[in-house]
Amino acid sequence: MIHTVPRYTPKDFIGTRLRLHRVKDAAIFNGWLRSFFGSRVEADVNASKVLEIGDTFRMEANGQRGNFIFEATLQSVEQLDMGANGVVAAIEGTSARLLEARMVTLVLMIGPQPRYAPTPQPFRIRVTGIDGMVNSSGSALEASLLDVSSEGFALFSKREIRLGDTIRFEIATPLGMVRGDGQVMNCRPAPDHPGFHRVGVKVIDLGRLDAPRWARVVQEY
């Protein structure tokens, strides 16, 4: 039997979750891979830690068909969202940047010998502009999706939803409405949005037409 090596493209990783492990002090950053072209990577990161140009990171992006694992060196720190009160402050006399921001963009250059590995878990991809309704404990509330995967999704909610609750959802995707049932796996205050909660939902049931539509949303968004 002949085994072929999967072919990867930047599209497999753009918009997916990214974990950054800084080499010098083992600090962990989590974010999203904003762009990937050649040896240049841009990562949207939510953090409040001092970063210095030249910092080296071990990084792992969880893509659609595999993981991209590599080392990269920080080239610059750019402010991403002025509307979110983000500030990138310089530390006088050094090349360090203090992140006082809800979300900033890091620009990094990939080092030698990046590698690919099988994906150990369903990949998550960031989404925008997808809204829906969630019915929990007999109450309906509006929600906005943050990310999606084959097994579930994360959403913003103005109300806390109890861990373990079964919810009914209706999501207005670009491919049409998706209806189903889900279980709340986590719920915590959203640090970037006071008064909101970030809720992780595992999909436990989809209709005959909803299941293939959801699969297409995850693969094609």
Side-chain angles (χ1 to χ4, degrees), residues 26 51 74 78 87 121 131 142 200:
L51 290 175
L74 182 63
E78 301 177 359
V87 175
Q121 59 185 357
D131 299 318
E142 296 180 351

Side-chain angles (χ1 to χ4, degrees), residues 18-95:
L18 185 67
R19 184 175 177 87
L20 301 84
H21 180 116
R22 185 160 58 187
V23 173
K24 69 180 182 183
D25 61 358
I28 300 295
F29 299 80
N30 291 293
W32 301 92
L33 202 155
R34 181 181 179 88
S35 69
F36 167 41
F37 183 78
S39 59
R40 176 188 170 98
V41 169
E42 293 185 357
D44 294 342
V45 175
N46 191 327
S48 292
K49 299 177 183 178
V50 174
L51 290 175
E52 188 167 1
I53 305 304
D55 279 353
T56 300
F57 296 84
R58 294 190 179 98
M59 304 171 66
E60 183 171 347
N62 181 212
Q64 296 183 28
R65 295 179 294 144
N67 286 355
F68 182 45
I69 303 167
F70 57 97
E71 286 197 358
T73 302
L74 182 63
Q75 302 294 303
S76 64
V77 179
E78 301 177 359
Q79 188 165 304
L80 172 64
D81 189 0
M82 289 293 291
N85 299 322
V87 175
V88 181
I91 299 178
E92 187 174 358
T94 75
S95 61

